[in-house]
């Protein structure tokens, strides 16, 4: 069922891009503008966010009439917001790969012959990101639903965009601060704003609001989204250090190269002292990191129990989130689908726990 839904989401995304190409004459400005934007947005992905929006909508929809195809159009709004975030995030992080292909600023660096191709790519990618962001609101407005619910859902969507940008602001600022200045609470706040809100909370809540869900369930879905979002980001940080480049679609050194302050990092730093802490900092703060640095950091995360601790934090949040699903007034079928999707998302945590001999019950 998920595969069929994802196919319809991809179709809706392609159709929407065709629509804005015609309406805004994007291809007439310069062919590379629309070509790059379309190629980037349609790259193969999980389509998790639009999938959750549709699940939220279907789970509370009261009408027995066939569901309007417009929901697949509006579901793309959250995917477009996601792509906008990726484009700008890659510029900030100076990343070269996204989903196994060049980042937007790397693509656009070839837009014109110039000695400052790097700067050109950054400047043009910022503009393309802005176009993708504006297009997200165009996609949202295509839904055919009750105007009052539509306005309420749009307000939540706008708030999410603001909160996610706040998360990016915090994340960028954290990158400039010393490790001893950042605690676990700071990291979790960043996870909540930058990942949880727009990846899980917003799609489910927006879909549920559009379908007419009650206030209690909207609040429960928001709580569910926060818990799963934090767990998902912790898992993503683990993958960024312990998985392979082939699986993550970007350089295996990417997260370490950025010296990201994660739950793994904060836990290790807190439990190290003396020469062992100095050894960790030597690898973690090194300007140009190598695979040998990654291996050393992995070893330290294992020795300090930081991997085990992080997986326990994933499990704790996941357990609480799954208990919320049981209290939802959502249709039984869609509660099951939401549970199945959630468990599928955390297969990497189970795999990591098994590989390194860490207890993980779920």
């Amino acid at each position: 069922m998920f595969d069929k839904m994802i196919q319809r989401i991809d179709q809706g995304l392609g159709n929407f891009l065709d629509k804005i190409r015609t309406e805004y004459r994007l291809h007439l400005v310069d062919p590379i503008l629309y070509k790059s934007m379309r190629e980037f947005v349609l790259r193969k992905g999980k389509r998790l966010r639009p999938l959750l929006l549709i699940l939220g909508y279907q789970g509370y929809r009261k009408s027995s009439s066939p569901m309007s195809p417009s929901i697949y159009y509006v579901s793309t709004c959250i995917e477009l917001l996601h792509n906008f975030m990726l484009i700008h995030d890659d510029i900030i992080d100076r990343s070269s790969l996204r989903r196994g292909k060049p980042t937007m600023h790397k693509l656009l660096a070839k837009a014109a012959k110039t000695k400052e191709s790097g700067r050109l790519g950054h400047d043009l990618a910022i503009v393309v990101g802005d176009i993708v962001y504006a297009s997200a609101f165009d996609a949202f407005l295509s839904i055919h639903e009750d105007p009052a619910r539509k306005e309420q859902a749009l307000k939540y969507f706008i708030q999410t965009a603001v909160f996610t940008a706040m998360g990016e602001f915090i994340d960028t600022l954290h990158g400039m601060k010393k490790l001893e200045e950042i605690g676990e609470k700071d990291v979790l706040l960043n996870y909540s704003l930058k990942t949880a809100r727009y990846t899980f909370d917003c799609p489910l809540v927006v879909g549920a609001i559009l379908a007419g869900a009650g206030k209690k369930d909207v609040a429960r879905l928001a709580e569910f989204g926060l818990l799963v979002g934090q767990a998902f980001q912790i898992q993503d940080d683990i993958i960024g250090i312990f998985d392979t480049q082939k699986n993550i679609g970007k350089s295996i050194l990417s997260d370490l190269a950025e010296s990201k302050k994660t739950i793994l990092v904060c836990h290790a730093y807190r439990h190290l002292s003396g020469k062992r802490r100095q050894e960790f900092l030597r690898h973690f703060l090194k300007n140009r990191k190598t695979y040998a640095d990654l291996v050393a950091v992995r070893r330290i995360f294992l020795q300090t129990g930081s991997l085990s601790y992080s997986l326990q934090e994933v499990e704790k949040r996941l357990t609480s989130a799954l208990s919320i699903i049981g209290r939802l007034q959502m249709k039984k079928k869609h509660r099951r689908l939401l549970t199945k999707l959630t468990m599928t998302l955390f297969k990497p945590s189970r795999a990591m726990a098994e590989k390194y001999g860490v207890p993980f019950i779920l």
Side-chain angles (χ1 to χ4, degrees), residues 8 12 16 53-54 57 61 66-77 138-145 150 210:
R8 293 195 67 179
F16 177 75
L53 191 149
I54 293 168
Y57 183 77
R61 187 170 177 269
M67 192 174 71
S68 170
S70 67
I71 188 62
Y72 285 94
Y73 244 30
V74 77
S75 74
T76 64
C77 72
D138 192 321
F140 184 95
L141 294 174
S142 63
I143 185 69
H144 304 305
E145 259 302 343
K150 189 173 178 178
L210 287 170

Side-chain angles (χ1 to χ4, degrees), residues 85 155-170 189-190 192-195 197-198 201:
M85 297 295 177
K155 177 68 174 176
Y156 203 87
F157 183 69
I158 292 169
Q159 288 174 344
T160 297
V162 173
F163 286 137
T164 308
M166 288 163 59
E168 185 66 69
F169 186 92
I170 291 171
L189 175 61
N190 186 26
S192 299
L193 292 172
K194 192 179 174 184
T195 300
R197 181 69 188 253
Y198 95 99
D201 173 347

